Amino acid sequence: MNPNTIVGRFVRLDLLQENDAAEIAAAAASGGRETYAYGPVPSADPTVNGAEDAQAYVARRLASLADGSWIPFVQRRAEDGLVVGMTNYIMVDGRLDRPSPPTAIEIGGTWLAPMAQRSPINTEAKLLLMTRAFDEMHVLRVQIKTDARNEQSRAAILRIGATFEGVLRNFQPGNGDVGSGAQRDTAMYSVIDSEWPLIRDRLEAMLA
């Protein structure tokens, strides 16, 4: 297993590097921010302020990588390597660098530039991340959560076949363009190991 990259037909997931900040800033600035209302995306301002915001965003993700709580991936369009967004593994229990490996993991902090939305990229990224989680890391559960107000995200999570588990009220601070810092309700979804073969077949059929 190469821990630094996961390659598909439509998307390549590369472990985040410090020098990715400029490309991440460009991706965040490449279209309207309507779909960034409820999740953390660097500023769309392509000037110095936007660049500084992207650098701070990358620094936070790399700090989480260093402490073992997150594994951040840059999403690149496979055909040309263009950065189109970010996605992450978030440790729910255990750590990859400790004797007890995680039995559950979250896929979160995901965003895509408008140019890559409604394309196969998100579907394939979820397939690649869940394949590694279930088949190589041998977790028992993959969870995905979103702001309960984010109807587009909730529909996309259901579309891949995850099970809705409920809304956790006042679960965490909001972290998008709307209501950042205010406590938000969070909609929780999951896929468990016994469901994975059917979900894998579903995602592969969607991509075909």
Side-chain angles (χ1 to χ4, degrees):
M1 178 175 72
N2 182 349
N4 295 327
T5 190
I6 314 175
V7 181
R9 288 182 294 154
F10 304 103
V11 65
R12 188 178 86 233
L13 306 177
D14 288 331
L15 191 69
L16 177 66
Q17 305 293 324
E18 187 174 1
N19 60 6
D20 291 326
E23 290 179 280
I24 289 171
S30 64
R33 293 184 68 86
E34 293 82 5
T35 58
Y36 302 155
Y38 303 113
V41 181
S43 170
D45 184 356
T47 65
V48 173
N49 289 336
E52 290 177 351
D53 191 34
Q55 289 168 356
Y57 171 92
V58 168
R60 290 193 298 272
R61 292 290 178 266
L62 291 177
S64 296
L65 174 64
D67 70 22
S69 60
W70 288 49
I71 304 176
F73 293 99
V74 176
Q75 300 196 78
R76 293 182 179 274
R77 197 164 59 190
E79 63 186 65
D80 56 9
L82 180 71
V83 171
V84 293
M86 287 285 301
T87 192
N88 308 266
Y89 280 139
I90 304 171
M91 299 300 114
V92 175
D93 67 346
R95 293 289 187 271
L96 293 179
D97 58 352
R98 297 182 185 176
S100 298
T103 60
I105 202 165
E106 181 176 323
I107 297 171
T110 300
W111 60 272
L112 282 172
M115 72 183 77
Q117 295 173 17
R118 303 187 185 282
S119 77
I121 287 176
N122 183 60
T123 300
E124 186 174 57
K126 294 296 190 293
L127 172 62
L128 294 172
L129 289 168
M130 285 197 283
T131 296
R132 175 169 285 189
F134 284 116
D135 296 349
E136 299 180 23
M137 297 162 62
H138 305 293
V139 302
L140 304 179
R141 168 187 171 90
V142 170
Q143 68 183 38
I144 307 171
K145 65 180 189 284
T146 189
D147 192 304
R149 299 167 293 179
N150 192 342
E151 296 296 338
Q152 181 173 329
S153 178
R154 294 181 67 168
I157 296 168
L158 286 173
R159 184 170 174 267
I160 67 173
T163 296
F164 175 55
E165 296 183 323
V167 173
L168 308 178
R169 298 179 298 164
N170 280 353
F171 184 71
Q172 65 190 101
N175 53 15
D177 289 356
V178 174
S180 181
Q183 206 71 2
R184 80 177 203 191
D185 294 345
T186 293
M188 180 70 76
Y189 301 79
S190 71
V191 175
I192 62 174
D193 58 336
S194 60
E195 300 166 341
W196 167 235
L198 287 177
I199 298 296
R200 180 183 57 222
D201 291 347
R202 177 192 182 105
L203 295 175
E204 289 176 347
M206 291 168 63
L207 290 169

